[in-house]
Structures are given as structure tokens and as C-alpha cells.
Amino acid sequence: MTIDLDGIEIDLDRVQVALDGSRWLWTFEHDNSGDPLMLRLDANGAAVLPLPIVSRGHGPLVAERRPTTAAMYRQVLEAA
């Protein structure tokens, strides 16, 4: 599932990494205002916060990088 947050598309199906290095994962739940609830995954303590609070308090979010697989290389080469 993707969501638009202040004009930036965020893929909630992937772990999100904030500017401060904290890692966040969607809990598949929403708060009363409809914002996705995010669970902090790193060792600095567990927290569940709405997505806009995470973005404002911890910095912009980017999806965690996935390692490139052989299947990904094959798909690109076959499309060329």
C-alpha cells in the first residue's frame, strides 16, 4: 500500500528509514484521523506513532534498500 504524505509517495509495505537512522514499519493499523501507525524497529526503544509525526520528528522517510537479486538483473537484461 502506498500513501501520499505532503506530496511524497511512501510505500508502506517496506521498512522506512528516517533521516535520523531510525527504522519504521507500518502496523497495518490507522489512528482515529486515518493516518497509518508506524512501529519503530531499532534498538532505541519501541514506539508506535502516526506517520506524519514520524516524518516531522525523525526526518524524511525513504524505503529501506533491498539487495539486488539475480532475478532483478535478468528482468532488466531481458527488457533491453
Side-chain angles (χ1 to χ4, degrees), residues 5 8-26 38-44 51 53-67:
L5 180 66
I8 298 172
E9 190 173 288
I10 296 178
D11 183 359
L12 294 176
D13 295 326
R14 296 178 60 188
V15 172
Q16 300 293 317
V17 180
L19 184 62
D20 68 359
S22 59
R23 297 172 64 237
W24 299 85
L25 182 64
W26 181 37
M38 306 297 286
L39 171 67
R40 188 173 185 158
L41 297 176
D42 55 41
N44 290 330
L51 179 60
I53 301 296
V54 172
S55 181
R56 283 193 300 267
H58 297 274
L61 300 168
V62 294
E64 187 171 67
R65 294 184 71 178
R66 294 182 188 168

